[in-house]
Amino acid sequence: MTMEKRLNEYYSNNAAKLHKIVDKILLAFGGLSDKDLDDFYSLANEVFVEAMRGYDDSQSFDGFLYSCLLNKIKTEITRRNREKRKADRLAISIDTPVGEEDGVTLADIIPDRFNLEKEIFGEKEEGYSKKALLYLARLSNMQRAVLYLMMDGYLPGEIREKLQITKKQYADCSTAIHSYRNISALL
């Protein structure tokens, strides 16, 4: 088959045959987003050109192209996954301790619009809102004691000393106080 016929075969109908091969390979990897799919179609165009240059009639061109595409796509997916893992290693946990004070984490100092006191006391600060009562019912006595001291502005070390609890007990209380499962009552 001539090079021109091969080009027509793979690139007719908006490169349907080439895209079909790429789709079949990617399906084995679980599929990709449309943006990534376009990247792999572009990669397939490059591989097609290389395959046309390297083809030697010792096997069918379809089989040769498929193996070239499979190898290149595997390599590209491996490279992308490696980059993702590299980024994950650079990620910092929101529970990372910061500063001199024991128990202060990154989560404690990141500003947000959520105001725990406002949610618990409501707008009037006279008594507890219905949402707050539901939230407080989800907490243990120790967790509520820690919460009240946090709301009064005590630092973690001061709270542990005042309640005579360990760092682990404080951390467990803090985790429960801020857990989505409990806070969801306020939302």
Side-chain angles (χ1 to χ4, degrees), residues 101-167:
E101 178 62 37
D102 288 335
V104 177
T105 66
L106 195 54
D108 296 329
I109 62 171
I110 295 175
D112 66 7
R113 286 182 279 189
F114 183 78
N115 184 326
L116 191 60
E117 292 87 351
K118 183 177 176 184
E119 290 300 324
I120 290 176
F121 292 115
E123 296 293 331
K124 303 171 201 153
E125 294 194 22
E126 294 170 358
Y128 296 120
S129 67
K130 289 179 185 179
K131 289 180 180 181
L133 292 173
L134 179 59
Y135 168 71
L136 291 170
R138 292 180 178 185
L139 300 178
S140 70
N141 290 337
M142 177 63 71
Q143 292 163 354
R144 280 195 297 273
V146 169
L147 173 65
Y148 295 140
L149 291 172
M150 284 177 163
M151 289 172 30
D152 286 340
Y154 286 89
L155 295 173
E158 296 170 329
I159 294 171
R160 287 194 316 269
E161 186 178 315
K162 194 167 188 76
L163 297 177
Q164 305 266 320
I165 59 176
T166 66
K167 285 182 181 181

Side-chain angles (χ1 to χ4, degrees), residues 38-54:
D38 286 341
D39 290 346
F40 282 96
Y41 287 156
S42 295
L43 183 66
N45 290 330
E46 295 170 20
V47 171
F48 184 82
V49 171
E50 292 171 18
M52 291 285 284
R53 287 186 191 136

Side-chain angles (χ1 to χ4, degrees), residues 3 6 16 27 48 55 89 93 103 117 125 127 159 170-171:
M3 190 181 300
R6 209 167 263 132
L27 188 60
F48 184 82
Y55 180 63
R89 278 184 262 141
S93 169
E117 292 87 351
E125 294 194 22
I159 294 171
Y170 173 81

Side-chain angles (χ1 to χ4, degrees), residues 9 17 58 70 86-87 90 107-108 127 161 164 183:
E9 178 184 352
K17 186 170 182 179
S58 63
L70 180 62
K86 198 183 300 181
L90 300 174
D108 296 329
E161 186 178 315
Q164 305 266 320
I183 288 184

